[in-house]
Amino acid sequence: MPEPGHPRDGGRRDSYRVSVTKDYLVFASAHFITFSGHRCETLHGHNYRVGVTVDGALDPESWYVFDFGILKRIMRKLCDDIDHKVLLAMENPHLQIAEVGDSVTVAYDNKPRYVFPKRDCALLPVPNTTVEMLAEYLTGLLQADLAKEGPSNLTAIDMEVEENFGQSATFRVTM
Ligand SMILES: [Zn+2]
């Protein structure tokens, strides 16, 4: 345990940032987005890649900001949960999405468009499945899982979701 007043005494002066990007922090999923006006993409897929960075003070006993192992485990599960799924934006006012038996029906502006097996869908509480909204969604889930780990010294999370090489969005939340 560092002595009080030590330059690294728990981060009142120092702040660190640690990042996790791993080959397995990916999800290969189908989606389509709607645009303003009356345009809607056709269904297509991406090999999404996720990177997360957390900011915070050093844990005074372990000398790290956060346990990489825990962060990797949480992020891997979040990616696995939406891997090989059709990502559907449940809060999109242009989409009418209904669960009917084992199926999910999707209409765009009340015109029937798709029927998917329910087990192949991820019904997401987002207004559009843009990388911006996916990044914010994953951040919310990560925050909820981190809260279960107990009190946190973290001060910020940056969640990057890339849908094509060099095409990504980052959501940042400060705590
Ligand atoms: Zn796309």
Side-chain angles (χ1 to χ4, degrees):
M1 180 78 102
E3 293 169 21
H6 187 280
R8 297 192 184 94
D9 64 350
R12 277 172 291 281
R13 276 153 288 178
D14 294 352
S15 170
Y16 297 79
R17 98 190 307 228
V18 296
S19 299
V20 171
T21 52
K22 289 280 171 189
D23 290 347
Y24 54 75
L25 293 186
V26 293
F27 52 100
S29 304
H31 89 139
F32 60 90
I33 67 170
T34 64
F35 299 94
S36 57
H38 296 281
R39 286 204 302 132
C40 179
E41 287 185 322
T42 54
L43 189 69
H44 62 279
H46 296 285
N47 290 314
Y48 292 93
R49 188 193 59 77
V50 178
V52 64
T53 300
V54 295
D55 291 18
L58 283 184
D59 180 288
E61 288 186 53
S62 56
W63 299 88
Y64 58 49
V65 175
F66 194 74
D67 185 334
F68 274 118
I70 294 173
L71 191 57
K72 288 188 290 185
R73 171 171 55 74
I74 294 172
M75 288 310 305
R76 184 169 199 158
K77 179 177 186 311
L78 296 183
C79 290
D80 286 350
D81 284 348
I82 53 176
D83 188 31
H84 292 187
K85 302 278 188 189
V86 181
L87 309 180
L88 294 171
M90 300 304 287
E91 296 176 359
N92 188 316
H94 287 289
L95 300 178
Q96 296 76 47
I97 300 171
E99 298 181 45
V100 182
D102 293 334
S103 299
V104 172
T105 63
V106 180
Y108 173 73
D109 283 346
N110 296 307
K111 297 184 194 70
R113 198 170 178 103
Y114 301 110
V115 179
F116 301 112
K118 196 194 298 189
R119 67 174 181 278
D120 293 348
C121 296
L123 308 181
L124 306 181
V126 297
N128 221 355
T129 52
T130 58
V131 278
E132 289 87 342
M133 291 300 98
L134 295 176
E136 181 173 348
Y137 167 70
L138 291 173
T139 302
L141 296 178
L142 173 60
Q143 281 187 286
D145 280 344
L146 290 175
K148 294 177 201 156
E149 301 292 329
S152 171
N153 53 329
L154 300 183
T155 56
I157 297 172
D158 285 81
M159 183 76 69
E160 181 186 31
V161 177
E162 183 182 81
E163 65 178 9
N164 286 313
F165 182 72
Q167 186 171 323
S168 68
T170 301
F171 179 74
R172 176 177 175 81
V173 64
T174 53
M175 282 94 86

